Amino acid sequence: MNDVGTSATRTVVEELLRRIGAGDSDATAALYAQVSDWKLNWPEHEHDRPATPWIRPRATRADAAEHYEEIARHHVPERAGTVVERILVDGPHAVVLGEIRQMTRRTGRAYRSRFALHLTVENGLITRHHVYEDSLAVAQAFDDGRQPEGL
């Protein structure tokens, strides 16, 4: 195991989490490579759910900024919180384990979702962003049986 690579990866991951917590989508996106491997664990046919527009395929740094902006637009920031339980790092790879706690703007429902975030850091930038979460909890919190209107 390369301790220098592991240390650099941990530094980028910790900075990513700090920037996400600060709510600055552009600063957060600046940690991503121009093109990255971005995946969410939602079923493909669910990516076009109008109530959860941030859950869709992404590939670019601009996509990353938009992702974080959309999350902020659809949640109540005062009721948001993420508990990071563990960061596991092995060379360029990191896995962040924890729980997301959010409240939807649309339905006013609070939800919790366990997650694992697999990141790869190369040359100081994130090149892989794979999220595994309780997508059912998120979908249920946003489901109010109506089509969304412009936010």
Side-chain angles (χ1 to χ4, degrees), residues 6-149:
T6 296
S7 176
T9 298
R10 180 174 290 279
T11 298
V12 171
V13 170
E14 288 174 349
E15 182 61 15
L16 173 71
L17 297 173
R18 187 192 70 71
R19 291 182 189 189
I20 291 170
D24 186 338
S25 60
D26 289 331
T28 301
L31 290 172
Y32 288 84
Q34 287 297 333
V35 175
S36 61
D37 175 13
W38 187 292
K39 291 192 169 83
L40 300 165
N41 73 314
W42 281 54
E44 286 301 316
H45 69 281
E46 293 290 318
H47 280 304
D48 60 357
R49 291 178 66 90
T52 54
W54 69 92
I55 298 173
R56 63 180 179 78
R58 309 276 181 173
T60 68
R61 183 179 287 165
D63 287 341
E66 186 178 36
H67 171 80
Y68 292 109
E69 290 166 4
E70 287 178 345
I71 288 174
R73 256 194 316 274
H74 289 83
H75 292 89
V76 178
E78 300 80 22
R79 297 291 305 272
T82 298
V83 176
V84 173
E85 297 167 353
R86 191 162 276 81
I87 301 172
L88 308 168
V89 181
D90 182 13
H93 302 282
V95 176
V96 181
L97 302 171
E99 182 179 72
I100 297 167
R101 298 172 184 170
Q102 292 277 17
M103 176 180 278
T104 72
R105 284 188 192 274
R106 183 172 160 162
T107 67
R109 290 189 191 124
Y111 68 91
R112 291 179 175 204
S113 175
R114 307 275 317 148
F115 74 89
L117 171 60
H118 178 194
L119 300 165
T120 300
V121 176
E122 298 176 57
N123 300 316
L125 295 172
I126 298 164
T127 59
R128 175 192 328 230
H129 177 109
H130 290 193
V131 178
Y132 308 92
E133 67 182 353
D134 181 357
S135 53
L136 180 60
V138 178
Q140 288 176 334
F142 278 89
D143 185 15
D144 64 0
R146 65 183 174 98
Q147 288 296 103
E149 297 175 20

